[in-house]
Amino acid sequence: QVQLVESGGGLVQAGGSLRLSCAASGRTFSNYGMGWFRQAPGKEREFVAAISWSGGSRFYADSVKGRFTISRDNAKNMVYLQMDSLKPEDTAVYYCAADNSFPTYSDLTYDYWGQGTQVTVSS
């Protein structure tokens, strides 16, 4: 079992930045690929970014590429999402997830989820 707790969400103006954090506990964190997803009101949950267990592979949704950066610190059992140049369309609840294998774009492959943190970007 892996427990995930997100933090760092909030209200920011368009063009601003936020850094989301995800604290993991339970099984060996470094064994898991990690991902960030988001869900806006009335929309399906969508992939944002993912990182392999070592941090050597990272990939992003086209909508955030060049603006968001995913990273992890296995010594601290943490994964981060640095979000720059935020847009109103980035407004959503952001979820951290753990995948017991190489992470993918699909939320179906992730085994554990956090409770989410709200990000609101005003225009």
Side-chain angles (χ1 to χ4, degrees), residues 95-121:
Y95 297 92
C96 172
D99 192 330
N100 189 19
S101 64
F102 193 82
T104 73
Y105 295 93
S106 172
D107 60 356
L108 298 177
T109 67
Y110 288 77
D111 305 286
Y112 303 102
W113 292 84
Q115 82 291 347
T117 185
Q118 176 71 46
V119 171
T120 303
V121 184

mmCIF file with all atom_site columns, all heavy atoms in Angstrom, residues 95-121:
data_model
loop_
_atom_site.group_PDB
_atom_site.id
_atom_site.type_symbol
_atom_site.label_atom_id
_atom_site.label_alt_id
_atom_site.label_comp_id
_atom_site.label_asym_id
_atom_site.label_entity_id
_atom_site.label_seq_id
_atom_site.pdbx_PDB_ins_code
_atom_site.Cartn_x
_atom_site.Cartn_y
_atom_site.Cartn_z
_atom_site.occupancy
_atom_site.B_iso_or_equiv
_atom_site.pdbx_formal_charge
_atom_site.auth_seq_id
_atom_site.auth_comp_id
_atom_site.auth_asym_id
_atom_site.auth_atom_id
_atom_site.pdbx_PDB_model_num
ATOM 1   N N   . TYR A 1 95  ? -4.103  15.560 -9.198  1.00 0.00 ? 95  TYR A N   1
ATOM 2   C CA  . TYR A 1 95  ? -3.908  14.323 -8.455  1.00 0.00 ? 95  TYR A CA  1
ATOM 3   C C   . TYR A 1 95  ? -2.523  13.745 -8.725  1.00 0.00 ? 95  TYR A C   1
ATOM 4   O O   . TYR A 1 95  ? -2.055  13.729 -9.866  1.00 0.00 ? 95  TYR A O   1
ATOM 5   C CB  . TYR A 1 95  ? -4.942  13.284 -8.879  1.00 0.00 ? 95  TYR A CB  1
ATOM 6   C CG  . TYR A 1 95  ? -6.371  13.670 -8.596  1.00 0.00 ? 95  TYR A CG  1
ATOM 7   C CD1 . TYR A 1 95  ? -7.131  14.337 -9.549  1.00 0.00 ? 95  TYR A CD1 1
ATOM 8   C CD2 . TYR A 1 95  ? -6.967  13.359 -7.376  1.00 0.00 ? 95  TYR A CD2 1
ATOM 9   C CE1 . TYR A 1 95  ? -8.451  14.690 -9.303  1.00 0.00 ? 95  TYR A CE1 1
ATOM 10  C CE2 . TYR A 1 95  ? -8.279  13.693 -7.117  1.00 0.00 ? 95  TYR A CE2 1
ATOM 11  C CZ  . TYR A 1 95  ? -9.015  14.365 -8.080  1.00 0.00 ? 95  TYR A CZ  1
ATOM 12  O OH  . TYR A 1 95  ? -10.317 14.708 -7.816  1.00 0.00 ? 95  TYR A OH  1
ATOM 13  N N   . CYS A 1 96  ? -1.937  13.239 -7.676  1.00 0.00 ? 96  CYS A N   1
ATOM 14  C CA  . CYS A 1 96  ? -0.698  12.487 -7.747  1.00 0.00 ? 96  CYS A CA  1
ATOM 15  C C   . CYS A 1 96  ? -1.057  11.005 -7.758  1.00 0.00 ? 96  CYS A C   1
ATOM 16  O O   . CYS A 1 96  ? -1.998  10.582 -7.063  1.00 0.00 ? 96  CYS A O   1
ATOM 17  C CB  . CYS A 1 96  ? 0.139   12.848 -6.521  1.00 0.00 ? 96  CYS A CB  1
ATOM 18  S SG  . CYS A 1 96  ? 1.611   11.879 -6.257  1.00 0.00 ? 96  CYS A SG  1
ATOM 19  N N   . ALA A 1 97  ? -0.325  10.221 -8.534  1.00 0.00 ? 97  ALA A N   1
ATOM 20  C CA  . ALA A 1 97  ? -0.620  8.793  -8.621  1.00 0.00 ? 97  ALA A CA  1
ATOM 21  C C   . ALA A 1 97  ? 0.672   7.991  -8.733  1.00 0.00 ? 97  ALA A C   1
ATOM 22  O O   . ALA A 1 97  ? 1.668   8.480  -9.270  1.00 0.00 ? 97  ALA A O   1
ATOM 23  C CB  . ALA A 1 97  ? -1.511  8.516  -9.821  1.00 0.00 ? 97  ALA A CB  1
ATOM 24  N N   . ALA A 1 98  ? 0.627   6.753  -8.240  1.00 0.00 ? 98  ALA A N   1
ATOM 25  C CA  . ALA A 1 98  ? 1.783   5.859  -8.253  1.00 0.00 ? 98  ALA A CA  1
ATOM 26  C C   . ALA A 1 98  ? 1.477   4.633  -9.101  1.00 0.00 ? 98  ALA A C   1
ATOM 27  O O   . ALA A 1 98  ? 0.400   4.037  -8.983  1.00 0.00 ? 98  ALA A O   1
ATOM 28  C CB  . ALA A 1 98  ? 2.147   5.439  -6.838  1.00 0.00 ? 98  ALA A CB  1
ATOM 29  N N   . ASP A 1 99  ? 2.427   4.271  -9.934  1.00 0.00 ? 99  ASP A N   1
ATOM 30  C CA  . ASP A 1 99  ? 2.291   3.139  -10.852 1.00 0.00 ? 99  ASP A CA  1
ATOM 31  C C   . ASP A 1 99  ? 3.360   2.108  -10.526 1.00 0.00 ? 99  ASP A C   1
ATOM 32  O O   . ASP A 1 99  ? 4.556   2.428  -10.558 1.00 0.00 ? 99  ASP A O   1
ATOM 33  C CB  . ASP A 1 99  ? 2.446   3.649  -12.288 1.00 0.00 ? 99  ASP A CB  1
ATOM 34  C CG  . ASP A 1 99  ? 2.053   2.628  -13.332 1.00 0.00 ? 99  ASP A CG  1
ATOM 35  O OD1 . ASP A 1 99  ? 2.208   1.422  -13.071 1.00 0.00 ? 99  ASP A OD1 1
ATOM 36  O OD2 . ASP A 1 99  ? 1.610   3.034  -14.416 1.00 0.00 ? 99  ASP A OD2 1
ATOM 37  N N   . ASN A 1 100 ? 2.934   0.891  -10.271 1.00 0.00 ? 100 ASN A N   1
ATOM 38  C CA  . ASN A 1 100 ? 3.868   -0.173 -9.889  1.00 0.00 ? 100 ASN A CA  1
ATOM 39  C C   . ASN A 1 100 ? 4.595   -0.735 -11.108 1.00 0.00 ? 100 ASN A C   1
ATOM 40  O O   . ASN A 1 100 ? 4.788   -1.946 -11.220 1.00 0.00 ? 100 ASN A O   1
ATOM 41  C CB  . ASN A 1 100 ? 3.111   -1.279 -9.144  1.00 0.00 ? 100 ASN A CB  1
ATOM 42  C CG  . ASN A 1 100 ? 4.039   -2.293 -8.547  1.00 0.00 ? 100 ASN A CG  1
ATOM 43  O OD1 . ASN A 1 100 ? 5.220   -2.047 -8.360  1.00 0.00 ? 100 ASN A OD1 1
ATOM 44  N ND2 . ASN A 1 100 ? 3.517   -3.478 -8.270  1.00 0.00 ? 100 ASN A ND2 1
ATOM 45  N N   . SER A 1 101 ? 4.970   0.135  -12.011 1.00 0.00 ? 101 SER A N   1
ATOM 46  C CA  . SER A 1 101 ? 5.716   -0.228 -13.209 1.00 0.00 ? 101 SER A CA  1
ATOM 47  C C   . SER A 1 101 ? 6.112   1.072  -13.893 1.00 0.00 ? 101 SER A C   1
ATOM 48  O O   . SER A 1 101 ? 5.953   2.142  -13.316 1.00 0.00 ? 101 SER A O   1
ATOM 49  C CB  . SER A 1 101 ? 4.861   -1.089 -14.140 1.00 0.00 ? 101 SER A CB  1
ATOM 50  O OG  . SER A 1 101 ? 3.749   -0.351 -14.607 1.00 0.00 ? 101 SER A OG  1
ATOM 51  N N   . PHE A 1 102 ? 6.584   0.984  -15.108 1.00 0.00 ? 102 PHE A N   1
ATOM 52  C CA  . PHE A 1 102 ? 6.923   2.208  -15.829 1.00 0.00 ? 102 PHE A CA  1
ATOM 53  C C   . PHE A 1 102 ? 5.642   3.011  -16.038 1.00 0.00 ? 102 PHE A C   1
ATOM 54  O O   . PHE A 1 102 ? 4.648   2.475  -16.509 1.00 0.00 ? 102 PHE A O   1
ATOM 55  C CB  . PHE A 1 102 ? 7.566   1.866  -17.177 1.00 0.00 ? 102 PHE A CB  1
ATOM 56  C CG  . PHE A 1 102 ? 8.225   3.046  -17.823 1.00 0.00 ? 102 PHE A CG  1
ATOM 57  C CD1 . PHE A 1 102 ? 9.496   3.431  -17.450 1.00 0.00 ? 102 PHE A CD1 1
ATOM 58  C CD2 . PHE A 1 102 ? 7.558   3.790  -18.786 1.00 0.00 ? 102 PHE A CD2 1
ATOM 59  C CE1 . PHE A 1 102 ? 10.115  4.519  -18.039 1.00 0.00 ? 102 PHE A CE1 1
ATOM 60  C CE2 . PHE A 1 102 ? 8.171   4.887  -19.382 1.00 0.00 ? 102 PHE A CE2 1
ATOM 61  C CZ  . PHE A 1 102 ? 9.446   5.261  -18.994 1.00 0.00 ? 102 PHE A CZ  1
ATOM 62  N N   . PRO A 1 103 ? 5.630   4.293  -15.696 1.00 0.00 ? 103 PRO A N   1
ATOM 63  C CA  . PRO A 1 103 ? 4.389   5.065  -15.760 1.00 0.00 ? 103 PRO A CA  1
ATOM 64  C C   . PRO A 1 103 ? 3.907   5.267  -17.193 1.00 0.00 ? 103 PRO A C   1
ATOM 65  O O   . PRO A 1 103 ? 4.687   5.274  -18.143 1.00 0.00 ? 103 PRO A O   1
ATOM 66  C CB  . PRO A 1 103 ? 4.761   6.400  -15.113 1.00 0.00 ? 103 PRO A CB  1
ATOM 67  C CG  . PRO A 1 103 ? 6.229   6.521  -15.346 1.00 0.00 ? 103 PRO A CG  1
ATOM 68  C CD  . PRO A 1 103 ? 6.761   5.118  -15.256 1.00 0.00 ? 103 PRO A CD  1
ATOM 69  N N   . THR A 1 104 ? 2.612   5.441  -17.334 1.00 0.00 ? 104 THR A N   1
ATOM 70  C CA  . THR A 1 104 ? 2.008   5.625  -18.648 1.00 0.00 ? 104 THR A CA  1
ATOM 71  C C   . THR A 1 104 ? 1.142   6.878  -18.669 1.00 0.00 ? 104 THR A C   1
ATOM 72  O O   . THR A 1 104 ? 0.997   7.566  -17.663 1.00 0.00 ? 104 THR A O   1
ATOM 73  C CB  . THR A 1 104 ? 1.143   4.412  -19.031 1.00 0.00 ? 104 THR A CB  1
ATOM 74  O OG1 . THR A 1 104 ? -0.053  4.451  -18.241 1.00 0.00 ? 104 THR A OG1 1
ATOM 75  C CG2 . THR A 1 104 ? 1.875   3.104  -18.777 1.00 0.00 ? 104 THR A CG2 1
ATOM 76  N N   . TYR A 1 105 ? 0.526   7.122  -19.832 1.00 0.00 ? 105 TYR A N   1
ATOM 77  C CA  . TYR A 1 105 ? -0.394  8.236  -19.972 1.00 0.00 ? 105 TYR A CA  1
ATOM 78  C C   . TYR A 1 105 ? -1.783  7.882  -19.441 1.00 0.00 ? 105 TYR A C   1
ATOM 79  O O   . TYR A 1 105 ? -2.611  8.768  -19.247 1.00 0.00 ? 105 TYR A O   1
ATOM 80  C CB  . TYR A 1 105 ? -0.539  8.611  -21.450 1.00 0.00 ? 105 TYR A CB  1
ATOM 81  C CG  . TYR A 1 105 ? 0.702   9.146  -22.100 1.00 0.00 ? 105 TYR A CG  1
ATOM 82  C CD1 . TYR A 1 105 ? 1.573   8.294  -22.776 1.00 0.00 ? 105 TYR A CD1 1
ATOM 83  C CD2 . TYR A 1 105 ? 0.987   10.508 -22.082 1.00 0.00 ? 105 TYR A CD2 1
ATOM 84  C CE1 . TYR A 1 105 ? 2.718   8.792  -23.389 1.00 0.00 ? 105 TYR A CE1 1
ATOM 85  C CE2 . TYR A 1 105 ? 2.124   11.013 -22.701 1.00 0.00 ? 105 TYR A CE2 1
ATOM 86  C CZ  . TYR A 1 105 ? 2.979   10.143 -23.353 1.00 0.00 ? 105 TYR A CZ  1
ATOM 87  O OH  . TYR A 1 105 ? 4.109   10.640 -23.970 1.00 0.00 ? 105 TYR A OH  1
ATOM 88  N N   . SER A 1 106 ? -2.056  6.609  -19.242 1.00 0.00 ? 106 SER A N   1
ATOM 89  C CA  . SER A 1 106 ? -3.394  6.169  -18.883 1.00 0.00 ? 106 SER A CA  1
ATOM 90  C C   . SER A 1 106 ? -3.582  6.072  -17.382 1.00 0.00 ? 106 SER A C   1
ATOM 91  O O   . SER A 1 106 ? -2.803  5.404  -16.697 1.00 0.00 ? 106 SER A O   1
ATOM 92  C CB  . SER A 1 106 ? -3.676  4.795  -19.495 1.00 0.00 ? 106 SER A CB  1
ATOM 93  O OG  . SER A 1 106 ? -4.889  4.277  -19.005 1.00 0.00 ? 106 SER A OG  1
ATOM 94  N N   . ASP A 1 107 ? -4.656  6.672  -16.891 1.00 0.00 ? 107 ASP A N   1
ATOM 95  C CA  . ASP A 1 107 ? -4.916  6.586  -15.444 1.00 0.00 ? 107 ASP A CA  1
ATOM 96  C C   . ASP A 1 107 ? -5.303  5.179  -15.031 1.00 0.00 ? 107 ASP A C   1
ATOM 97  O O   . ASP A 1 107 ? -5.287  4.869  -13.839 1.00 0.00 ? 107 ASP A O   1
ATOM 98  C CB  . ASP A 1 107 ? -5.980  7.595  -15.026 1.00 0.00 ? 107 ASP A CB  1
ATOM 99  C CG  . ASP A 1 107 ? -7.313  7.403  -15.711 1.00 0.00 ? 107 ASP A CG  1
ATOM 100 O OD1 . ASP A 1 107 ? -7.416  6.517  -16.599 1.00 0.00 ? 107 ASP A OD1 1
ATOM 101 O OD2 . ASP A 1 107 ? -8.262  8.133  -15.374 1.00 0.00 ? 107 ASP A OD2 1
ATOM 102 N N   . LEU A 1 108 ? -5.630  4.314  -15.976 1.00 0.00 ? 108 LEU A N   1
ATOM 103 C CA  . LEU A 1 108 ? -6.035  2.946  -15.646 1.00 0.00 ? 108 LEU A CA  1
ATOM 104 C C   . LEU A 1 108 ? -4.885  2.111  -15.111 1.00 0.00 ? 108 LEU A C   1
ATOM 105 O O   . LEU A 1 108 ? -5.113  1.097  -14.446 1.00 0.00 ? 108 LEU A O   1
ATOM 106 C CB  . LEU A 1 108 ? -6.627  2.269  -16.884 1.00 0.00 ? 108 LEU A CB  1
ATOM 107 C CG  . LEU A 1 108 ? -7.896  2.913  -17.457 1.00 0.00 ? 108 LEU A CG  1
ATOM 108 C CD1 . LEU A 1 108 ? -8.326  2.178  -18.722 1.00 0.00 ? 108 LEU A CD1 1
ATOM 109 C CD2 . LEU A 1 108 ? -9.018  2.913  -16.430 1.00 0.00 ? 108 LEU A CD2 1
ATOM 110 N N   . THR A 1 109 ? -3.658  2.510  -15.399 1.00 0.00 ? 109 THR A N   1
ATOM 111 C CA  . THR A 1 109 ? -2.513  1.688  -14.994 1.00 0.00 ? 109 THR A CA  1
ATOM 112 C C   . THR A 1 109 ? -1.956  2.070  -13.628 1.00 0.00 ? 109 THR A C   1
ATOM 113 O O   . THR A 1 109 ? -1.080  1.390  -13.111 1.00 0.00 ? 109 THR A O   1
ATOM 114 C CB  . THR A 1 109 ? -1.382  1.788  -16.032 1.00 0.00 ? 109 THR A CB  1
ATOM 115 O OG1 . THR A 1 109 ? -0.853  3.127  -16.024 1.00 0.00 ? 109 THR A OG1 1
ATOM 116 C CG2 . THR A 1 109 ? -1.891  1.455  -17.426 1.00 0.00 ? 109 THR A CG2 1
ATOM 117 N N   . TYR A 1 110 ? -2.447  3.142  -13.052 1.00 0.00 ? 110 TYR A N   1
ATOM 118 C CA  . TYR A 1 110 ? -1.925  3.602  -11.775 1.00 0.00 ? 110 TYR A CA  1
ATOM 119 C C   . TYR A 1 110 ? -2.630  2.894  -10.621 1.00 0.00 ? 110 TYR A C   1
ATOM 120 O O   . TYR A 1 110 ? -3.846  2.690  -10.647 1.00 0.00 ? 110 TYR A O   1
ATOM 121 C CB  . TYR A 1 110 ? -2.054  5.114  -11.652 1.00 0.00 ? 110 TYR A CB  1
ATOM 122 C CG  . TYR A 1 110 ? -1.076  5.836  -12.553 1.00 0.00 ? 110 TYR A CG  1
ATOM 123 C CD1 . TYR A 1 110 ? -1.321  5.945  -13.919 1.00 0.00 ? 110 TYR A CD1 1
ATOM 124 C CD2 . TYR A 1 110 ? 0.101   6.371  -12.047 1.00 0.00 ? 110 TYR A CD2 1
ATOM 125 C CE1 . TYR A 1 110 ? -0.406  6.581  -14.761 1.00 0.00 ? 110 TYR A CE1 1
ATOM 126 C CE2 . TYR A 1 110 ? 1.010   7.012  -12.878 1.00 0.00 ? 110 TYR A CE2 1
ATOM 127 C CZ  . TYR A 1 110 ? 0.754   7.116  -14.226 1.00 0.00 ? 110 TYR A CZ  1
ATOM 128 O OH  . TYR A 1 110 ? 1.653   7.737  -15.061 1.00 0.00 ? 110 TYR A OH  1
ATOM 129 N N   . ASP A 1 111 ? -1.847  2.556  -9.607  1.00 0.00 ? 111 ASP A N   1
ATOM 130 C CA  . ASP A 1 111 ? -2.351  1.713  -8.523  1.00 0.00 ? 111 ASP A CA  1
ATOM 131 C C   . ASP A 1 111 ? -2.843  2.517  -7.319  1.00 0.00 ? 111 ASP A C   1
ATOM 132 O O   . ASP A 1 111 ? -3.729  2.064  -6.594  1.00 0.00 ? 111 ASP A O   1
ATOM 133 C CB  . ASP A 1 111 ? -1.240  0.766  -8.065  1.00 0.00 ? 111 ASP A CB  1
ATOM 134 C CG  . ASP A 1 111 ? -0.686  -0.059 -9.219  1.00 0.00 ? 111 ASP A CG  1
ATOM 135 O OD1 . ASP A 1 111 ? -1.400  -0.982 -9.649  1.00 0.00 ? 111 ASP A OD1 1
ATOM 136 O OD2 . ASP A 1 111 ? 0.438   0.224  -9.682  1.00 0.00 ? 111 ASP A OD2 1
ATOM 137 N N   . TYR A 1 112 ? -2.241  3.670  -7.077  1.00 0.00 ? 112 TYR A N   1
ATOM 138 C CA  . TYR A 1 112 ? -2.573  4.448  -5.890  1.00 0.00 ? 112 TYR A CA  1
ATOM 139 C C   . TYR A 1 112 ? -2.741  5.912  -6.275  1.00 0.00 ? 112 TYR A C   1
ATOM 140 O O   . TYR A 1 112 ? -2.031  6.418  -7.145  1.00 0.00 ? 112 TYR A O   1
ATOM 141 C CB  . TYR A 1 112 ? -1.467  4.313  -4.828  1.00 0.00 ? 112 TYR A CB  1
ATOM 142 C CG  . TYR A 1 112 ? -1.201  2.886  -4.427  1.00 0.00 ? 112 TYR A CG  1
ATOM 143 C CD1 . TYR A 1 112 ? -0.101  2.196  -4.918  1.00 0.00 ? 112 TYR A CD1 1
ATOM 144 C CD2 . TYR A 1 112 ? -2.074  2.225  -3.561  1.00 0.00 ? 112 TYR A CD2 1
ATOM 145 C CE1 . TYR A 1 112 ? 0.144   0.887  -4.563  1.00 0.00 ? 112 TYR A CE1 1
ATOM 146 C CE2 . TYR A 1 112 ? -1.828  0.900  -3.199  1.00 0.00 ? 112 TYR A CE2 1
ATOM 147 C CZ  . TYR A 1 112 ? -0.732  0.245  -3.701  1.00 0.00 ? 112 TYR A CZ  1
ATOM 148 O OH  . TYR A 1 112 ? -0.502  -1.056 -3.349  1.00 0.00 ? 112 TYR A OH  1
ATOM 149 N N   . TRP A 1 113 ? -3.667  6.564  -5.554  1.00 0.00 ? 113 TRP A N   1
ATOM 150 C CA  . TRP A 1 113 ? -4.010  7.957  -5.853  1.00 0.00 ? 113 TRP A CA  1
ATOM 151 C C   . TRP A 1 113 ? -4.083  8.780  -4.579  1.00 0.00 ? 113 TRP A C   1
ATOM 152 O O   . TRP A 1 113 ? -4.490  8.283  -3.533  1.00 0.00 ? 113 TRP A O   1
ATOM 153 C CB  . TRP A 1 113 ? -5.372  8.025  -6.552  1.00 0.00 ? 113 TRP A CB  1
ATOM 154 C CG  . TRP A 1 113 ? -5.344  7.432  -7.921  1.00 0.00 ? 113 TRP A CG  1
ATOM 155 C CD1 . TRP A 1 113 ? -5.470  6.111  -8.255  1.00 0.00 ? 113 TRP A CD1 1
ATOM 156 C CD2 . TRP A 1 113 ? -5.167  8.126  -9.152  1.00 0.00 ? 113 TRP A CD2 1
ATOM 157 N NE1 . TRP A 1 113 ? -5.380  5.948  -9.615  1.00 0.00 ? 113 TRP A NE1 1
ATOM 158 C CE2 . TRP A 1 113 ? -5.198  7.172  -10.196 1.00 0.00 ? 113 TRP A CE2 1
ATOM 159 C CE3 . TRP A 1 113 ? -4.989  9.472  -9.484  1.00 0.00 ? 113 TRP A CE3 1
ATOM 160 C CZ2 . TRP A 1 113 ? -5.053  7.521  -11.544 1.00 0.00 ? 113 TRP A CZ2 1
ATOM 161 C CZ3 . TRP A 1 113 ? -4.855  9.819  -10.825 1.00 0.00 ? 113 TRP A CZ3 1
ATOM 162 C CH2 . TRP A 1 113 ? -4.885  8.861  -11.837 1.00 0.00 ? 113 TRP A CH2 1
ATOM 163 N N   . GLY A 1 114 ? -3.719  10.055 -4.708  1.00 0.00 ? 114 GLY A N   1
ATOM 164 C CA  . GLY A 1 114 ? -3.933  10.986 -3.622  1.00 0.00 ? 114 GLY A CA  1
ATOM 165 C C   . GLY A 1 114 ? -5.334  11.551 -3.673  1.00 0.00 ? 114 GLY A C   1
ATOM 166 O O   . GLY A 1 114 ? -6.132  11.217 -4.561  1.00 0.00 ? 114 GLY A O   1
ATOM 167 N N   . GLN A 1 115 ? -5.627  12.448 -2.752  1.00 0.00 ? 115 GLN A N   1
ATOM 168 C CA  . GLN A 1 115 ? -6.968  13.004 -2.637  1.00 0.00 ? 115 GLN A CA  1
ATOM 169 C C   . GLN A 1 115 ? -7.167  14.230 -3.527  1.00 0.00 ? 115 GLN A C   1
ATOM 170 O O   . GLN A 1 115 ? -8.284  14.674 -3.732  1.00 0.00 ? 115 GLN A O   1
ATOM 171 C CB  . GLN A 1 115 ? -7.271  13.379 -1.180  1.00 0.00 ? 115 GLN A CB  1
ATOM 172 C CG  . GLN A 1 115 ? -6.731  14.731 -0.721  1.00 0.00 ? 115 GLN A CG  1
ATOM 173 C CD  . GLN A 1 115 ? -5.225  14.787 -0.602  1.00 0.00 ? 115 GLN A CD  1
ATOM 174 O OE1 . GLN A 1 115 ? -4.545  13.771 -0.625  1.00 0.00 ? 115 GLN A OE1 1
ATOM 175 N NE2 . GLN A 1 115 ? -4.675  15.992 -0.473  1.00 0.00 ? 115 GLN A NE2 1
ATOM 176 N N   . GLY A 1 116 ? -6.082  14.774 -4.045  1.00 0.00 ? 116 GLY A N   1
ATOM 177 C CA  . GLY A 1 116 ? -6.148  15.904 -4.953  1.00 0.00 ? 116 GLY A CA  1
ATOM 178 C C   . GLY A 1 116 ? -5.945  17.242 -4.274  1.00 0.00 ? 116 GLY A C   1
ATOM 179 O O   . GLY A 1 116 ? -6.195  17.403 -3.073  1.00 0.00 ? 116 GLY A O   1
ATOM 180 N N   . THR A 1 117 ? -5.497  18.209 -5.054  1.00 0.00 ? 117 THR A N   1
ATOM 181 C CA  . THR A 1 117 ? -5.335  19.579 -4.579  1.00 0.00 ? 117 THR A CA  1
ATOM 182 C C   . THR A 1 117 ? -5.847  20.520 -5.666  1.00 0.00 ? 117 THR A C   1
ATOM 183 O O   . THR A 1 117 ? -5.578  20.324 -6.856  1.00 0.00 ? 117 THR A O   1
ATOM 184 C CB  . THR A 1 117 ? -3.869  19.882 -4.215  1.00 0.00 ? 117 THR A CB  1
ATOM 185 O OG1 . THR A 1 117 ? -3.769  21.183 -3.643  1.00 0.00 ? 117 THR A OG1 1
ATOM 186 C CG2 . THR A 1 117 ? -2.937  19.790 -5.417  1.00 0.00 ? 117 THR A CG2 1
ATOM 187 N N   . GLN A 1 118 ? -6.605  21.526 -5.260  1.00 0.00 ? 118 GLN A N   1
ATOM 188 C CA  . GLN A 1 118 ? -7.246  22.428 -6.215  1.00 0.00 ? 118 GLN A CA  1
ATOM 189 C C   . GLN A 1 118 ? -6.275  23.495 -6.690  1.00 0.00 ? 118 GLN A C   1
ATOM 190 O O   . GLN A 1 118 ? -5.609  24.157 -5.884  1.00 0.00 ? 118 GLN A O   1
ATOM 191 C CB  . GLN A 1 118 ? -8.456  23.101 -5.565  1.00 0.00 ? 118 GLN A CB  1
ATOM 192 C CG  . GLN A 1 118 ? -9.151  24.130 -6.438  1.00 0.00 ? 118 GLN A CG  1
ATOM 193 C CD  . GLN A 1 118 ? -9.897  23.505 -7.594  1.00 0.00 ? 118 GLN A CD  1
ATOM 194 O OE1 . GLN A 1 118 ? -10.622 22.528 -7.422  1.00 0.00 ? 118 GLN A OE1 1
ATOM 195 N NE2 . GLN A 1 118 ? -9.739  24.067 -8.805  1.00 0.00 ? 118 GLN A NE2 1
ATOM 196 N N   . VAL A 1 119 ? -6.231  23.675 -7.993  1.00 0.00 ? 119 VAL A N   1
ATOM 197 C CA  . VAL A 1 119 ? -5.483  24.773 -8.608  1.00 0.00 ? 119 VAL A CA  1
ATOM 198 C C   . VAL A 1 119 ? -6.472  25.625 -9.397  1.00 0.00 ? 119 VAL A C   1
ATOM 199 O O   . VAL A 1 119 ? -7.202  25.109 -10.242 1.00 0.00 ? 119 VAL A O   1
ATOM 200 C CB  . VAL A 1 119 ? -4.381  24.244 -9.549  1.00 0.00 ? 119 VAL A CB  1
ATOM 201 C CG1 . VAL A 1 119 ? -3.760  25.385 -10.344 1.00 0.00 ? 119 VAL A CG1 1
ATOM 202 C CG2 . VAL A 1 119 ? -3.324  23.506 -8.747  1.00 0.00 ? 119 VAL A CG2 1
ATOM 203 N N   . THR A 1 120 ? -6.498  26.905 -9.087  1.00 0.00 ? 120 THR A N   1
ATOM 204 C CA  . THR A 1 120 ? -7.389  27.828 -9.781  1.00 0.00 ? 120 THR A CA  1
ATOM 205 C C   . THR A 1 120 ? -6.558  28.972 -10.352 1.00 0.00 ? 120 THR A C   1
ATOM 206 O O   . THR A 1 120 ? -5.821  29.628 -9.618  1.00 0.00 ? 120 THR A O   1
ATOM 207 C CB  . THR A 1 120 ? -8.455  28.400 -8.833  1.00 0.00 ? 120 THR A CB  1
ATOM 208 O OG1 . THR A 1 120 ? -9.198  27.309 -8.252  1.00 0.00 ? 120 THR A OG1 1
ATOM 209 C CG2 . THR A 1 120 ? -9.417  29.311 -9.587  1.00 0.00 ? 120 THR A CG2 1
ATOM 210 N N   . VAL A 1 121 ? -6.688  29.175 -11.661 1.00 0.00 ? 121 VAL A N   1
ATOM 211 C CA  . VAL A 1 121 ? -5.941  30.225 -12.346 1.00 0.00 ? 121 VAL A CA  1
ATOM 212 C C   . VAL A 1 121 ? -6.938  31.266 -12.844 1.00 0.00 ? 121 VAL A C   1
ATOM 213 O O   . VAL A 1 121 ? -7.806  30.971 -13.656 1.00 0.00 ? 121 VAL A O   1
ATOM 214 C CB  . VAL A 1 121 ? -5.130  29.659 -13.517 1.00 0.00 ? 121 VAL A CB  1
ATOM 215 C CG1 . VAL A 1 121 ? -4.283  30.770 -14.153 1.00 0.00 ? 121 VAL A CG1 1
ATOM 216 C CG2 . VAL A 1 121 ? -4.245  28.519 -13.056 1.00 0.00 ? 121 VAL A CG2 1
#
